[in-house]
Amino acid sequence: MKKNNNNVSGAFIFMASAVLLATVVFSREQPVAEAVTCNPSQLTPCLPAFTWTAPPSIVCCNSLRQQRPCLCTYLRNPLYKQYYDSPNSRRIAVTCGVPFPRC
């Protein structure tokens, strides 16, 4: 009977070790892309730079970086295309260090 208890204890230790190892391996933090809500009004601080030759503000550049995943959507929208597909928008992108999208 003692042999049987040792087998059960050995199996329990093996299973506990396997579960612990799996927990460590699979619980490593995975990089998660931050979700961005596309909202063109977030680029309101850029309006002077879009419509005139005013330099973009820091707030404008930060907003542009945040909305970067949405820029192609804005370029395809006829309501916004006049602002986002202009020489000023390219200048703003360069000044802010945001690559102009290729859609």
Side-chain angles (χ1 to χ4, degrees):
M1 280 288 198
K2 275 194 168 186
K3 267 189 171 181
N4 199 8
N5 284 341
N6 286 339
N7 287 342
V8 172
S9 296
F12 177 76
I13 290 172
F14 175 76
M15 288 301 291
S17 298
V19 169
L20 180 62
L21 179 63
T23 302
V24 169
V25 169
F26 293 113
S27 69
R28 285 199 268 171
E29 194 171 310
Q30 299 295 321
V32 176
E34 191 174 319
V36 174
T37 301
C38 293
N39 183 352
S41 69
Q42 295 295 316
L43 295 175
T44 302
C46 298
L47 197 55
F50 279 125
T51 55
W52 303 300
T53 57
S57 66
I58 293 171
V59 175
C60 168
C61 290
N62 289 339
S63 297
L64 189 62
R65 283 185 202 99
Q66 181 184 17
Q67 292 290 302
R68 183 178 173 204
C70 307
L71 296 179
C72 283
T73 302
Y74 302 154
L75 282 166
R76 290 183 191 115
N77 186 322
L79 296 173
Y80 308 122
K81 186 174 179 160
Q82 64 180 339
Y83 299 107
Y84 299 117
D85 192 21
S86 70
N88 282 347
S89 65
R90 293 178 192 279
R91 178 184 52 81
I92 294 166
V94 168
T95 303
C96 293
V98 177
F100 196 80
R102 296 179 189 195
C103 309

Coordinates of all heavy atoms in Angstrom, one line a residue:
M1 N 0.8 -1.2 0.0 CA 0.0 0.0 0.0 C 0.9 1.3 0.0 O 0.5 2.2 -0.6 CB -0.9 0.0 1.2 CG -2.1 -0.8 1.1 SD -3.2 0.0 -0.1 CE -4.7 -0.6 0.2
K2 N 2.0 1.2 0.7 CA 2.8 2.4 0.7 C 3.3 2.8 -0.7 O 3.5 4.0 -1.0 CB 4.0 2.2 1.6 CG 3.7 2.5 3.1 CD 5.0 2.5 3.9 CE 4.6 3.1 5.2 NZ 5.8 3.4 6.0
K3 N 3.6 1.8 -1.5 CA 4.0 2.1 -2.9 C 3.0 2.9 -3.6 O 3.3 3.8 -4.4 CB 4.3 0.8 -3.6 CG 5.7 0.4 -3.6 CD 5.9 -0.8 -4.6 CE 7.3 -1.1 -4.7 NZ 7.6 -2.1 -5.6
N4 N 1.7 2.6 -3.4 CA 0.6 3.3 -4.1 C 0.6 4.8 -3.6 O 0.3 5.7 -4.4 CB -0.7 2.6 -3.7 CG -1.8 2.9 -4.7 OD1 -1.5 3.6 -5.7 ND2 -3.0 2.5 -4.5
N5 N 0.8 5.1 -2.4 CA 0.8 6.4 -1.9 C 1.9 7.2 -2.5 O 1.8 8.4 -2.8 CB 0.9 6.5 -0.3 CG -0.4 6.1 0.3 OD1 -1.5 6.2 -0.3 ND2 -0.3 5.7 1.6
N6 N 3.1 6.6 -2.7 CA 4.2 7.3 -3.3 C 3.9 7.6 -4.7 O 4.3 8.7 -5.2 CB 5.5 6.4 -3.2 CG 6.1 6.4 -1.8 OD1 5.8 7.3 -1.0 ND2 6.9 5.4 -1.5
N7 N 3.3 6.7 -5.4 CA 2.9 7.0 -6.8 C 1.9 8.2 -6.9 O 2.0 9.0 -7.8 CB 2.3 5.8 -7.5 CG 3.3 4.7 -7.8 OD1 4.5 5.0 -7.8 ND2 2.9 3.5 -8.0
V8 N 0.9 8.2 -6.0 CA 0.0 9.3 -6.0 C 0.7 10.6 -5.6 O 0.5 11.6 -6.3 CB -1.2 9.0 -5.0 CG1 -2.1 10.2 -4.8 CG2 -2.0 7.8 -5.4
S9 N 1.6 10.6 -4.7 CA 2.3 11.8 -4.3 C 3.2 12.3 -5.5 O 3.3 13.5 -5.8 CB 3.2 11.6 -3.1 OG 2.4 11.3 -2.0
G10 N 3.9 11.3 -6.1 CA 4.7 11.7 -7.3 C 3.9 12.3 -8.4 O 4.3 13.2 -9.0
A11 N 2.7 11.7 -8.7 CA 1.9 12.2 -9.7 C 1.3 13.6 -9.4 O 1.3 14.5 -10.2 CB 0.7 11.2 -9.9
F12 N 1.0 13.8 -8.1 CA 0.5 15.1 -7.7 C 1.6 16.1 -7.8 O 1.3 17.2 -8.3 CB 0.0 15.0 -6.2 CG -0.4 16.4 -5.7 CD1 -1.6 16.9 -6.0 CD2 0.4 17.1 -4.8 CE1 -2.0 18.1 -5.6 CE2 0.0 18.3 -4.4 CZ -1.2 18.8 -4.7
I13 N 2.8 15.8 -7.4 CA 3.9 16.8 -7.5 C 4.2 17.1 -9.0 O 4.4 18.2 -9.4 CB 5.2 16.2 -6.8 CG1 5.0 16.3 -5.3 CG2 6.4 17.1 -7.2 CD1 6.0 15.6 -4.5
F14 N 4.1 16.0 -9.9 CA 4.4 16.2 -11.3 C 3.3 17.2 -11.9 O 3.6 18.1 -12.6 CB 4.4 14.9 -12.0 CG 4.5 15.0 -13.5 CD1 5.7 15.3 -14.1 CD2 3.3 14.9 -14.3 CE1 5.8 15.5 -15.5 CE2 3.4 15.0 -15.7 CZ 4.7 15.3 -16.3
M15 N 2.0 16.9 -11.6 CA 0.9 17.7 -12.1 C 1.0 19.1 -11.5 O 0.8 20.1 -12.3 CB -0.4 17.1 -11.7 CG -0.8 15.9 -12.5 SD -0.8 16.1 -14.3 CE -2.3 17.1 -14.4
A16 N 1.3 19.3 -10.3 CA 1.4 20.6 -9.7 C 2.6 21.4 -10.4 O 2.4 22.6 -10.7 CB 1.6 20.5 -8.2
S17 N 3.7 20.7 -10.6 CA 4.8 21.3 -11.3 C 4.4 21.7 -12.7 O 4.8 22.8 -13.2 CB 6.0 20.4 -11.3 OG 6.4 20.1 -10.0
A18 N 3.7 20.9 -13.4 CA 3.3 21.2 -14.8 C 2.4 22.4 -14.8 O 2.5 23.3 -15.7 CB 2.6 20.0 -15.4
V19 N 1.4 22.4 -13.9 CA 0.5 23.6 -13.8 C 1.2 24.9 -13.5 O 1.0 25.9 -14.1 CB -0.6 23.3 -12.8 CG1 -1.4 24.6 -12.5 CG2 -1.5 22.2 -13.3
L20 N 2.2 24.8 -12.6 CA 3.0 26.0 -12.2 C 3.8 26.4 -13.4 O 3.8 27.6 -13.7 CB 3.9 25.7 -11.0 CG 4.8 26.8 -10.6 CD1 4.0 28.0 -10.1 CD2 5.7 26.3 -9.5
L21 N 4.4 25.5 -14.1 CA 5.2 25.9 -15.3 C 4.3 26.5 -16.4 O 4.7 27.5 -17.0 CB 5.9 24.6 -15.9 CG 6.8 24.9 -17.1 CD1 7.9 25.8 -16.8 CD2 7.3 23.5 -17.6
A22 N 3.2 25.9 -16.6 CA 2.3 26.5 -17.6 C 1.8 27.8 -17.2 O 1.7 28.7 -18.1 CB 1.1 25.5 -17.8
T23 N 1.6 28.1 -16.0 CA 1.1 29.4 -15.5 C 2.2 30.4 -15.7 O 1.9 31.5 -16.2 CB 0.8 29.3 -14.0 OG1 -0.2 28.3 -13.8 CG2 0.3 30.7 -13.5
V24 N 3.4 30.1 -15.5 CA 4.6 31.0 -15.7 C 4.7 31.3 -17.1 O 4.9 32.4 -17.5 CB 5.9 30.4 -15.0 CG1 7.1 31.2 -15.4 CG2 5.7 30.4 -13.5
V25 N 4.7 30.3 -18.0 CA 5.0 30.4 -19.4 C 3.8 31.2 -20.1 O 4.1 32.2 -20.8 CB 5.1 29.1 -20.1 CG1 5.1 29.2 -21.6 CG2 6.4 28.4 -19.6
F26 N 2.6 30.9 -19.7 CA 1.5 31.5 -20.4 C 1.0 32.8 -19.8 O 0.2 33.5 -20.4 CB 0.3 30.6 -20.6 CG 0.7 29.4 -21.5 CD1 0.8 28.1 -21.0 CD2 0.9 29.7 -22.8 CE1 1.1 27.1 -21.8 CE2 1.2 28.6 -23.7 CZ 1.3 27.3 -23.2
S27 N 1.5 33.2 -18.6 CA 1.0 34.4 -18.0 C 1.9 35.6 -18.3 O 1.7 36.7 -17.7 CB 0.9 34.2 -16.5 OG 2.1 34.0 -15.9
R28 N 2.9 35.4 -19.1 CA 3.8 36.5 -19.4 C 2.9 37.6 -20.1 O 2.1 37.3 -20.9 CB 5.0 36.1 -20.3 CG 6.0 35.4 -19.5 CD 7.3 35.4 -20.2 NE 7.4 34.2 -21.0 CZ 8.3 34.0 -21.9 NH1 9.2 34.9 -22.2 NH2 8.3 32.9 -22.6
E29 N 3.2 38.8 -19.8 CA 2.4 39.9 -20.3 C 2.6 40.0 -21.8 O 3.8 40.1 -22.3 CB 2.8 41.2 -19.7 CG 1.9 42.3 -19.9 CD 2.2 43.5 -19.1 OE1 2.3 43.4 -17.9 OE2 2.3 44.6 -19.7
Q30 N 1.6 39.9 -22.6 CA 1.6 40.1 -24.0 C 1.4 41.5 -24.4 O 0.5 42.2 -23.8 CB 0.6 39.2 -24.7 CG 0.7 37.7 -24.3 CD 2.0 37.1 -24.9 OE1 2.4 37.5 -26.0 NE2 2.7 36.3 -24.2
P31 N 2.1 42.0 -25.4 CA 1.8 43.4 -25.8 C 0.4 43.5 -26.4 O 0.0 42.7 -27.2 CB 2.9 43.7 -26.9 CG 3.4 42.3 -27.3 CD 3.1 41.4 -26.2
V32 N -0.3 44.5 -26.0 CA -1.7 44.7 -26.5 C -1.8 46.0 -27.1 O -1.3 47.0 -26.5 CB -2.7 44.6 -25.3 CG1 -4.1 44.9 -25.8 CG2 -2.6 43.2 -24.6
A33 N -2.3 46.1 -28.3 CA -2.5 47.4 -29.0 C -3.5 48.2 -28.3 O -4.6 47.6 -28.0 CB -2.8 47.1 -30.4
E34 N -3.2 49.4 -28.0 CA -4.2 50.2 -27.4 C -5.3 50.6 -28.4 O -5.0 51.1 -29.5 CB -3.5 51.5 -26.9 CG -4.3 52.3 -26.0 CD -3.6 53.5 -25.4 OE1 -2.4 53.3 -25.0 OE2 -4.1 54.6 -25.3
A35 N -6.5 50.5 -28.0 CA -7.6 50.8 -28.9 C -7.8 52.3 -29.0 O -7.6 53.0 -28.0 CB -8.9 50.2 -28.3
V36 N -8.0 52.8 -30.2 CA -8.1 54.2 -30.5 C -9.6 54.4 -31.0 O -10.0 53.7 -31.9 CB -7.1 54.7 -31.6 CG1 -7.4 56.1 -31.9 CG2 -5.7 54.5 -31.1
T37 N -10.2 55.4 -30.4 CA -11.6 55.7 -30.9 C -11.4 56.8 -32.0 O -10.8 57.9 -31.7 CB -12.4 56.3 -29.8 OG1 -12.5 55.2 -28.8 CG2 -13.8 56.7 -30.3
C38 N -11.8 56.5 -33.2 CA -11.6 57.5 -34.3 C -12.6 58.6 -34.1 O -13.8 58.4 -34.1 CB -11.8 56.8 -35.6 SG -10.4 55.7 -36.0
N39 N -12.1 59.8 -33.8 CA -13.0 60.9 -33.6 C -12.3 62.2 -34.2 O -11.4 62.7 -33.6 CB -13.3 61.1 -32.1 CG -14.2 62.2 -31.8 OD1 -14.6 63.0 -32.7 ND2 -14.6 62.3 -30.6
P40 N -12.7 62.6 -35.4 CA -12.0 63.8 -36.0 C -12.0 65.0 -35.1 O -11.1 65.9 -35.3 CB -12.7 64.0 -37.3 CG -13.9 63.1 -37.2 CD -13.8 62.1 -36.1
S41 N -13.0 65.2 -34.2 CA -13.0 66.3 -33.4 C -11.8 66.4 -32.4 O -11.4 67.4 -31.9 CB -14.3 66.4 -32.6 OG -14.4 65.4 -31.6
Q42 N -11.1 65.2 -32.3 CA -9.9 65.2 -31.5 C -8.8 66.0 -32.1 O -7.8 66.3 -31.5 CB -9.4 63.7 -31.2 CG -10.4 62.9 -30.4 CD -10.5 63.4 -29.0 OE1 -9.5 63.7 -28.3 NE2 -11.7 63.5 -28.5
L43 N -8.9 66.3 -33.4 CA -7.9 67.0 -34.1 C -8.3 68.5 -34.2 O -7.6 69.3 -34.9 CB -7.7 66.4 -35.5 CG -7.1 65.0 -35.5 CD1 -7.0 64.5 -36.9 CD2 -5.7 65.0 -34.9
T44 N -9.2 68.9 -33.5 CA -9.6 70.4 -33.4 C -8.4 71.3 -33.1 O -8.3 72.4 -33.7 CB -10.8 70.6 -32.5 OG1 -11.9 69.8 -32.9 CG2 -11.2 72.0 -32.5
P45 N -7.5 70.9 -32.2 CA -6.4 71.7 -31.9 C -5.5 72.0 -33.1 O -4.7 72.9 -33.1 CB -5.6 71.0 -30.8 CG -6.6 70.1 -30.2 CD -7.6 69.7 -31.3
C46 N -5.7 71.2 -34.2 CA -4.9 71.3 -35.4 C -5.5 72.2 -36.4 O -4.9 72.5 -37.4 CB -4.6 69.9 -36.0 SG -3.7 68.8 -35.0
L47 N -6.8 72.6 -36.2 CA -7.5 73.4 -37.1 C -6.7 74.7 -37.6 O -6.7 74.9 -38.8 CB -8.9 73.8 -36.6 CG -9.9 74.2 -37.6 CD1 -10.1 73.2 -38.7 CD2 -11.2 74.5 -37.0
P48 N -6.1 75.5 -36.8 CA -5.4 76.6 -37.3 C -4.2 76.2 -38.2 O -3.9 76.9 -39.2 CB -4.8 77.3 -36.0 CG -5.7 76.9 -34.9 CD -6.2 75.5 -35.3
A49 N -3.6 75.1 -37.9 CA -2.5 74.6 -38.7 C -3.0 74.0 -40.1 O -2.3 74.2 -41.1 CB -1.7 73.6 -38.0
F50 N -4.2 73.4 -40.0 CA -4.8 72.9 -41.3 C -5.3 74.0 -42.2 O -5.1 73.9 -43.4 CB -6.0 72.0 -41.0 CG -5.6 70.6 -40.6 CD1 -6.1 70.1 -39.4 CD2 -4.8 69.8 -41.4 CE1 -5.8 68.8 -39.0 CE2 -4.5 68.5 -41.0 CZ -5.0 68.0 -39.8
T51 N -5.9 75.1 -41.6 CA -6.5 76.1 -42.5 C -5.6 77.2 -42.8 O -5.8 77.9 -43.8 CB -7.8 76.6 -41.8 OG1 -7.4 77.1 -40.5 CG2 -8.8 75.5 -41.7
W52 N -4.6 77.5 -42.0 CA -3.6 78.6 -42.2 C -2.2 78.0 -42.2 O -2.1 76.8 -42.2 CB -3.8 79.7 -41.2 CG -5.2 80.3 -41.1 CD1 -5.8 80.9 -42.1 CD2 -6.1 80.3 -40.0 NE1 -7.1 81.3 -41.7 CE2 -7.2 80.9 -40.4 CE3 -6.0 79.8 -38.7 CZ2 -8.3 81.0 -39.6 CZ3 -7.0 79.9 -37.9 CH2 -8.2 80.6 -38.3
T53 N -1.3 78.8 -42.1 CA 0.1 78.3 -42.0 C 0.6 78.4 -40.6 O 1.9 78.3 -40.4 CB 1.0 79.1 -43.0 OG1 0.9 80.5 -42.6 CG2 0.6 79.0 -44.4
A54 N -0.2 78.4 -39.6 CA 0.2 78.4 -38.2 C 0.9 77.1 -37.9 O 0.5 76.0 -38.4 CB -1.0 78.5 -37.3
P55 N 2.0 77.1 -37.1 CA 2.6 75.8 -36.8 C 1.7 75.0 -35.9 O 1.0 75.6 -35.1 CB 3.9 76.3 -36.1 CG 3.6 77.7 -35.6 CD 2.6 78.3 -36.5
P56 N 1.8 73.7 -36.0 CA 1.0 72.9 -35.1 C 1.5 73.0 -33.6 O 2.7 73.1 -33.4 CB 1.2 71.5 -35.6 CG 2.5 71.5 -36.3 CD 2.7 72.9 -36.9
S57 N 0.5 73.0 -32.7 CA 0.8 73.1 -31.3 C 1.2 71.7 -30.8 O 1.0 70.7 -31.5 CB -0.4 73.6 -30.5 OG -1.4 72.6 -30.6
I58 N 1.8 71.7 -29.6 CA 2.1 70.4 -29.0 C 0.8 69.5 -28.8 O 0.8 68.3 -29.0 CB 2.8 70.6 -27.6 CG1 4.2 71.3 -27.9 CG2 2.9 69.3 -26.8 CD1 4.9 71.7 -26.6
V59 N -0.2 70.2 -28.4 CA -1.5 69.5 -28.3 C -2.0 68.9 -29.6 O -2.4 67.8 -29.7 CB -2.6 70.4 -27.7 CG1 -4.0 69.7 -27.6 CG2 -2.2 70.9 -26.3
C60 N -1.8 69.7 -30.7 CA -2.1 69.2 -32.0 C -1.3 67.9 -32.4 O -1.8 66.9 -32.8 CB -1.9 70.3 -33.0 SG -1.9 69.7 -34.8
C61 N 0.0 68.0 -32.1 CA 0.9 66.9 -32.5 C 0.5 65.7 -31.7 O 0.5 64.5 -32.2 CB 2.3 67.3 -32.3 SG 2.9 68.5 -33.5
N62 N 0.2 65.8 -30.4 CA -0.2 64.7 -29.5 C -1.5 64.1 -30.0 O -1.6 62.9 -30.1 CB -0.3 65.1 -28.1 CG 1.1 65.4 -27.5 OD1 2.1 64.9 -27.9 ND2 1.1 66.2 -26.4
S63 N -2.4 64.9 -30.4 CA -3.7 64.5 -30.9 C -3.5 63.7 -32.2 O -4.1 62.7 -32.5 CB -4.7 65.6 -31.1 OG -5.0 66.2 -29.9
L64 N -2.6 64.3 -33.1 CA -2.4 63.6 -34.4 C -1.7 62.3 -34.2 O -2.1 61.3 -34.9 CB -1.5 64.5 -35.2 CG -1.2 64.1 -36.7 CD1 -2.5 64.1 -37.4 CD2 -0.2 65.1 -37.3
R65 N -0.8 62.2 -33.3 CA -0.2 60.8 -33.0 C -1.2 59.8 -32.5 O -1.2 58.7 -32.9 CB 0.9 61.0 -31.9 CG 2.2 61.6 -32.5 CD 3.3 61.6 -31.5 NE 4.3 62.6 -31.9 CZ 4.4 63.8 -31.4 NH1 3.6 64.2 -30.4 NH2 5.3 64.7 -31.8
Q66 N -2.1 60.3 -31.6 CA -3.2 59.4 -31.1 C -4.1 59.0 -32.1 O -4.6 57.8 -32.2 CB -3.9 60.2 -30.0 CG -5.0 59.3 -29.3 CD -5.8 60.1 -28.3 OE1 -5.8 61.3 -28.3 NE2 -6.5 59.4 -27.5
Q67 N -4.5 59.9 -33.1 CA -5.4 59.6 -34.1 C -4.8 58.9 -35.4 O -5.5 58.7 -36.3 CB -6.2 60.8 -34.5 CG -7.1 61.4 -33.4 CD -8.3 60.4 -33.2 OE1 -9.1 60.2 -34.1 NE2 -8.4 60.0 -32.0
R68 N -3.5 58.7 -35.3 CA -2.8 58.2 -36.5 C -3.4 57.0 -37.1 O -3.6 56.9 -38.4 CB -1.3 57.9 -36.1 CG -0.5 57.4 -37.3 CD 0.9 57.2 -36.9 NE 1.6 56.6 -38.0 CZ 2.7 55.9 -37.9 NH1 3.2 55.7 -36.7 NH2 3.3 55.3 -38.9
P69 N -3.9 56.0 -36.3 CA -4.6 54.8 -37.0 C -5.8 55.2 -37.7 O -6.3 54.4 -38.6 CB -4.9 53.9 -35.8 CG -4.0 54.3 -34.7 CD -3.8 55.8 -34.9
C70 N -6.4 56.3 -37.5 CA -7.6 56.7 -38.1 C -7.5 57.6 -39.4 O -8.4 57.9 -40.0 CB -8.5 57.5 -37.1 SG -8.7 56.7 -35.5
L71 N -6.2 58.1 -39.7 CA -6.0 59.1 -40.7 C -6.5 58.6 -42.1 O -7.1 59.4 -42.8 CB -4.5 59.5 -40.7 CG -4.0 60.2 -39.5 CD1 -2.6 60.5 -39.6 CD2 -4.9 61.4 -39.1
C72 N -6.3 57.4 -42.4 CA -6.8 56.9 -43.7 C -8.4 57.0 -43.8 O -8.9 57.3 -44.8 CB -6.4 55.5 -44.0 SG -4.6 55.4 -44.5
T73 N -9.0 56.7 -42.7 CA -10.5 56.8 -42.7 C -10.9 58.3 -42.9 O -11.8 58.6 -43.7 CB -11.0 56.4 -41.3 OG1 -10.6 55.0 -41.1 CG2 -12.5 56.5 -41.2
Y74 N -10.2 59.2 -42.3 CA -10.5 60.6 -42.5 C -10.2 61.1 -44.0 O -10.9 61.8 -44.5 CB -9.7 61.5 -41.6 CG -9.9 61.2 -40.1 CD1 -8.9 61.5 -39.2 CD2 -11.0 60.7 -39.6 CE1 -9.1 61.3 -37.8 CE2 -11.2 60.4 -38.3 CZ -10.2 60.7 -37.4 OH -10.4 60.4 -36.1
L75 N -9.1 60.5 -44.5 CA -8.7 60.9 -45.9 C -9.8 60.4 -46.9 O -10.0 61.0 -48.0 CB -7.4 60.3 -46.3 CG -6.2 61.1 -45.7 CD1 -4.9 60.3 -45.9 CD2 -6.0 62.4 -46.5
R76 N -10.4 59.3 -46.6 CA -11.5 58.7 -47.5 C -12.8 59.4 -47.3 O -13.7 59.2 -48.2 CB -11.6 57.2 -47.2 CG -10.4 56.4 -47.7 CD -10.6 55.0 -47.5 NE -9.4 54.2 -47.7 CZ -8.7 53.6 -46.7 NH1 -9.2 53.5 -45.5 NH2 -7.6 53.0 -47.0
N77 N -13.0 60.1 -46.3 CA -14.3 60.8 -46.0 C -14.3 62.1 -46.7 O -13.5 63.0 -46.4 CB -14.5 61.0 -44.5 CG -15.8 61.5 -44.1 OD1 -16.4 62.3 -44.8 ND2 -16.3 61.0 -43.0
P78 N -15.3 62.3 -47.6 CA -15.4 63.6 -48.3 C -15.5 64.8 -47.4 O -15.1 65.9 -47.8 CB -16.6 63.5 -49.2 CG -16.9 62.0 -49.3 CD -16.3 61.4 -48.0
L79 N -16.1 64.7 -46.3 CA -16.2 65.8 -45.4 C -14.9 66.3 -44.8 O -14.7 67.5 -44.5 CB -17.2 65.5 -44.2 CG -18.6 65.1 -44.5 CD1 -19.4 64.7 -43.3 CD2 -19.3 66.4 -45.1
Y80 N -13.9 65.4 -44.6 CA -12.7 65.7 -44.0 C -11.5 65.8 -45.0 O -10.5 66.3 -44.7 CB -12.3 64.7 -42.9 CG -13.5 64.6 -41.9 CD1 -14.0 63.3 -41.7 CD2 -14.0 65.6 -41.2 CE1 -15.0 63.1 -40.8 CE2 -15.0 65.5 -40.3 CZ -15.5 64.2 -40.1 OH -16.6 64.1 -39.2
K81 N -11.7 65.2 -46.2 CA -10.6 65.1 -47.1 C -9.9 66.4 -47.5 O -8.7 66.5 -47.6 CB -11.1 64.4 -48.4 CG -10.0 64.1 -49.4 CD -10.4 63.3 -50.6 CE -9.2 63.1 -51.4 NZ -9.4 62.0 -52.3
Q82 N -10.7 67.5 -47.6 CA -10.1 68.8 -47.9 C -9.1 69.3 -46.9 O -8.2 70.0 -47.2 CB -11.2 69.8 -48.1 CG -12.0 70.1 -46.8 CD -13.1 71.2 -47.0 OE1 -13.0 71.9 -47.9 NE2 -14.1 71.2 -46.1
Y83 N -9.3 68.9 -45.6 CA -8.3 69.2 -44.6 C -7.1 68.3 -44.5 O -6.0 68.7 -44.4 CB -9.0 69.3 -43.2 CG -10.1 70.3 -43.1 CD1 -11.5 69.8 -43.1 CD2 -9.9 71.6 -43.1 CE1 -12.5 70.7 -43.0 CE2 -10.9 72.5 -43.1 CZ -12.2 72.1 -43.0 OH -13.3 73.0 -43.0
Y84 N -7.4 67.0 -44.6 CA -6.4 66.0 -44.4 C -5.6 65.7 -45.6 O -4.5 65.1 -45.5 CB -7.0 64.7 -43.8 CG -7.7 65.0 -42.5 CD1 -9.0 64.8 -42.4 CD2 -6.9 65.4 -41.4 CE1 -9.6 65.0 -41.1 CE2 -7.6 65.6 -40.2 CZ -8.9 65.4 -40.1 OH -9.5 65.7 -38.9
D85 N -6.1 66.1 -46.8 CA -5.3 65.8 -48.0 C -4.9 67.2 -48.6 O -5.3 67.5 -49.7 CB -6.2 65.0 -49.0 CG -5.4 64.5 -50.2 OD1 -4.1 64.4 -50.0 OD2 -5.9 64.2 -51.2
S86 N -4.1 67.9 -47.9 CA -3.7 69.2 -48.3 C -2.2 69.4 -48.0 O -1.6 68.6 -47.2 CB -4.5 70.3 -47.6 OG -4.1 70.3 -46.2
P87 N -1.5 70.3 -48.7 CA -0.1 70.6 -48.4 C 0.1 70.9 -46.9 O 1.1 70.5 -46.3 CB 0.2 71.8 -49.2 CG -0.8 71.8 -50.4 CD -2.0 71.2 -49.8
N88 N -0.9 71.6 -46.3 CA -0.7 71.9 -44.8 C -0.7 70.7 -44.0 O 0.0 70.6 -43.0 CB -1.9 72.9 -44.4 CG -1.6 74.3 -44.8 OD1 -0.5 74.7 -45.2 ND2 -2.6 75.1 -44.7
S89 N -1.5 69.7 -44.3 CA -1.6 68.5 -43.5 C -0.2 67.7 -43.6 O 0.2 67.1 -42.6 CB -2.7 67.6 -43.9 OG -2.6 67.1 -45.2
R90 N 0.4 67.7 -44.8 CA 1.7 67.1 -44.9 C 2.7 67.8 -44.1 O 3.6 67.2 -43.5 CB 2.1 67.0 -46.4 CG 1.2 66.1 -47.2 CD 1.5 66.0 -48.7 NE 0.5 65.4 -49.4 CZ 0.4 64.1 -49.5 NH1 1.2 63.3 -48.9 NH2 -0.6 63.5 -50.2
R91 N 2.6 69.2 -44.1 CA 3.6 70.0 -43.3 C 3.4 69.7 -41.8 O 4.4 69.5 -41.1 CB 3.3 71.5 -43.6 CG 4.2 72.4 -42.8 CD 3.8 73.9 -43.0 NE 2.4 74.2 -42.9 CZ 1.8 74.4 -41.7 NH1 2.5 74.3 -40.6 NH2 0.5 74.7 -41.7
I92 N 2.1 69.6 -41.4 CA 1.8 69.3 -40.0 C 2.4 67.9 -39.6 O 3.0 67.7 -38.6 CB 0.3 69.3 -39.7 CG1 -0.2 70.7 -39.9 CG2 0.0 68.8 -38.3 CD1 -1.7 70.8 -40.0
A93 N 2.2 66.9 -40.5 CA 2.7 65.6 -40.2 C 4.2 65.6 -40.1 O 4.8 65.0 -39.1 CB 2.3 64.6 -41.3
V94 N 4.9 66.3 -41.0 CA 6.4 66.4 -40.9 C 6.8 67.1 -39.6 O 7.7 66.6 -38.9 CB 6.9 67.1 -42.1 CG1 8.4 67.4 -41.9 CG2 6.7 66.2 -43.4
T95 N 6.2 68.2 -39.3 CA 6.5 68.9 -38.1 C 6.3 68.1 -36.8 O 7.1 68.2 -35.9 CB 5.7 70.2 -38.0 OG1 5.9 71.0 -39.2 CG2 6.1 71.1 -36.8
C96 N 5.2 67.3 -36.8 CA 4.9 66.5 -35.6 C 5.6 65.2 -35.6 O 5.5 64.5 -34.6 CB 3.4 66.3 -35.6 SG 2.4 67.8 -35.3
G97 N 6.3 64.9 -36.7 CA 7.0 63.6 -36.7 C 6.1 62.4 -36.9 O 6.4 61.3 -36.5
V98 N 5.0 62.6 -37.5 CA 4.0 61.5 -37.8 C 4.0 61.2 -39.3 O 3.8 62.1 -40.1 CB 2.6 62.0 -37.4 CG1 1.6 60.9 -37.7 CG2 2.5 62.3 -35.9
P99 N 4.4 60.0 -39.7 CA 4.4 59.7 -41.1 C 3.0 59.9 -41.8 O 2.0 59.5 -41.2 CB 4.8 58.2 -41.1 CG 5.3 57.9 -39.8 CD 4.7 58.9 -38.8
F100 N 3.0 60.5 -42.9 CA 1.8 60.8 -43.6 C 1.3 59.4 -44.1 O 2.1 58.7 -44.7 CB 2.0 61.8 -44.8 CG 0.7 62.3 -45.3 CD1 0.0 63.3 -44.6 CD2 0.1 61.8 -46.4 CE1 -1.2 63.9 -45.1 CE2 -1.1 62.3 -46.9 CZ -1.7 63.3 -46.2
P101 N 0.0 59.1 -43.9 CA -0.4 57.7 -44.3 C -0.5 57.5 -45.8 O -0.7 58.4 -46.6 CB -1.9 57.7 -43.7 CG -2.3 59.1 -43.7 CD -1.0 59.9 -43.4
R102 N -0.2 56.3 -46.2 CA -0.4 55.9 -47.6 C -1.6 54.9 -47.6 O -1.5 53.8 -47.2 CB 0.9 55.1 -48.1 CG 2.1 56.0 -48.1 CD 3.3 55.3 -48.6 NE 4.5 56.1 -48.4 CZ 5.6 55.9 -48.9 NH1 5.8 54.8 -49.7 NH2 6.6 56.7 -48.7
C103 N -2.7 55.4 -48.1 CA -3.9 54.7 -48.0 C -4.2 54.0 -49.4 O -4.0 54.6 -50.4 CB -5.0 55.6 -47.6 SG -4.7 56.5 -46.1

